[in-house]
Amino acid sequence: MNLQAYLDIQPEIKAAVEAGKPVVALESTILSHGMPYPQNLEFGRQVEQIIREEGAVPATMAIIDGRMKVGLTPDQLELMCKGENVAKVSRRDLPILLATGGTGATTVATTMILASLAGIKIFATGGIGGVHRGAETTMDISADLQELAHTPVAVVCAGAKMILDIGLTLEYLETMGVPVLGLDTDEFPSFYCRSSGFGVDYNAKTPAIAARIAKTKWDLGLAGGLLIGNPVPEQYAMDFNEMSAVIDKALAAAKADGIKGKATTPYLLAHIVEYTGGRSLATNIQLAYNNARAAARIAVELMKL
Ligand code: PSU
Ligand code: MN
């Protein structure tokens, strides 16, 4: 396959990958469909800066004018953050966008695909998609989970939101053979909160241990990625009971408005920000910074192995 026909990798990122230097992938759906403008622009710049401070190179992904972009220029980052006519691109959408010259933001699944094509092993995000509450009737299960089963990228996240069924999400990952690590935690975090009531497969106390487990999985030729749960720092964590009530309210609003399919997650995120008077956005931003820092440290350790 002639990837050049579809893929643009920024020279700095290409050189870093070729030289075996640490690189961290970042998604753009969190920008275009997960946070309001202009807070998302400030976030998008700062998160790249944090990765650089840890000695790694950031690679924010997007689809622009029908081309896969690994690394964005300042103008391209702004385009994603303004989010006008920017589609949400998951695995199924990717060939359509490329063939028709479309512009879209990459989900966790699509960011993993682009990272893998570019030779990037570590990816930082906020929260992943998963098995939605009520999936036994709606069948709404994010393509992010299948991607973790097939594509060799380790995803650092603050767990999964309680808009999802966290227990079923973890069951699904077990079935698909995806290791779920906690970064110095025994519990899989629930995004705004440090706990969820569900355990991880292994508590990786340090970035070096997480890196070693990832390398071992890939040395064995086991397909797919890993999920690394990194809890929101204590001082930014939100109250579990408060967030449970807010999320129930957002789910009820989504049902009343007849929201389905790919619109569901962005709808819920926007309503949670509204119901918490913006406090959840501040937490979202801080946990994603924290994940970027952890991912960069894991990438640094991985490159030493
Ligand atoms: N969860 C969040 N913030 C996000 C997303 C999920 O807390 O921005 C985004 C990610 O890009 C994720 C996508 O890959 O939503 C999942 O969407 P869906 O449930 O439609 O697969
Ligand atoms: Mn879905």
Side-chain angles (χ1 to χ4, degrees):
M1 184 184 65
N2 179 15
L3 268 180
Q4 262 70 340
Y6 304 104
L7 182 64
D8 296 323
I9 308 178
Q10 276 195 342
E12 182 196 9
I13 296 168
K14 197 170 197 304
V17 169
E18 282 167 3
K21 293 198 178 130
V23 181
V24 174
L26 296 164
E27 60 156 310
S28 45
T29 292
I30 191 174
L31 304 173
S32 306
H33 303 285
M35 289 181 190
Y37 183 85
Q39 289 96 328
N40 55 1
L41 184 57
E42 161 69 16
F43 166 79
R45 291 173 179 152
Q46 183 63 23
V47 75
E48 292 198 355
Q49 184 56 33
I50 287 169
I51 288 168
R52 287 190 188 283
E53 282 163 11
E54 294 294 331
V57 176
T60 304
M61 312 292 186
I63 313 300
I64 297 176
D65 297 335
R67 296 191 62 83
M68 295 186 284
K69 302 288 183 189
V70 175
L72 304 182
T73 64
D75 284 353
Q76 290 170 339
L77 186 68
E78 183 140 12
L79 178 78
M80 285 299 123
C81 290
K82 286 200 165 140
E84 288 156 18
N85 302 313
V86 172
K88 175 177 163 187
V89 185
S90 195
R91 168 177 271 264
R92 64 159 184 200
D93 309 297
L94 185 57
I96 301 171
L97 270 277
L98 297 191
T100 60
T103 292
T106 57
T107 62
V108 168
T110 317
T111 303
M112 289 177 73
I113 295 170
L114 268 62
S116 177
L117 291 173
I120 300 167
K121 311 302 285 181
I122 307 291
F123 165 20
T125 185
I128 58 153
V131 180
H132 279 262
R133 281 153 74 170
E136 59 275 21
T137 51
T138 63
M139 298 282 281
D140 191 350
I141 300 173
S142 175
D144 293 352
L145 300 184
Q146 278 293 322
E147 209 61 53
L148 281 161
H150 298 304
T151 304
V153 174
V155 180
V156 180
C157 69
K161 282 202 176 69
M162 288 174 288
I163 61 174
L164 304 174
D165 188 319
I166 297 178
L168 292 188
T169 299
L170 293 171
E171 289 292 346
Y172 194 100
L173 290 167
E174 179 188 1
T175 301
M176 292 293 146
V178 178
V180 177
L181 309 182
L183 206 53
D184 199 18
T185 179
D186 294 326
E187 251 188 83
F188 190 66
S190 61
F191 200 82
Y192 301 115
C193 311
R194 292 174 62 85
S195 59
S196 67
F198 295 94
V200 292
D201 301 329
Y202 183 73
N203 179 346
K205 297 271 185 203
T206 65
I209 298 169
R212 182 166 296 281
I213 294 170
K215 173 155 193 304
T216 303
K217 169 164 179 159
W218 296 323
D219 280 351
L220 292 174
L222 296 175
L226 300 90
L227 189 60
I228 302 173
N230 186 33
V232 59
E234 198 85 63
Q235 67 269 38
Y236 304 113
M238 299 184 76
D239 181 73
F240 191 89
N241 293 326
E242 181 200 355
M243 288 318 288
S244 295
V246 163
I247 285 164
D248 286 347
K249 189 174 163 192
L251 287 165
K255 196 169 181 196
D257 283 351
I259 305 299
K260 288 197 178 67
K262 71 196 270 187
T264 302
T265 299
Y267 179 98
L268 293 172
L269 297 179
H271 281 71
I272 291 167
V273 172
E274 184 190 321
Y275 297 157
T276 59
R279 278 183 302 127
S280 69
L281 178 61
T283 297
N284 192 346
I285 288 171
Q286 291 300 328
L287 65 83
Y289 288 160
N290 190 49
N291 294 341
R293 203 169 294 116
R297 290 177 185 167
I298 294 168
V300 167
E301 294 297 332
L302 185 66
M303 291 305 132
K304 290 183 192 162
L305 298 175

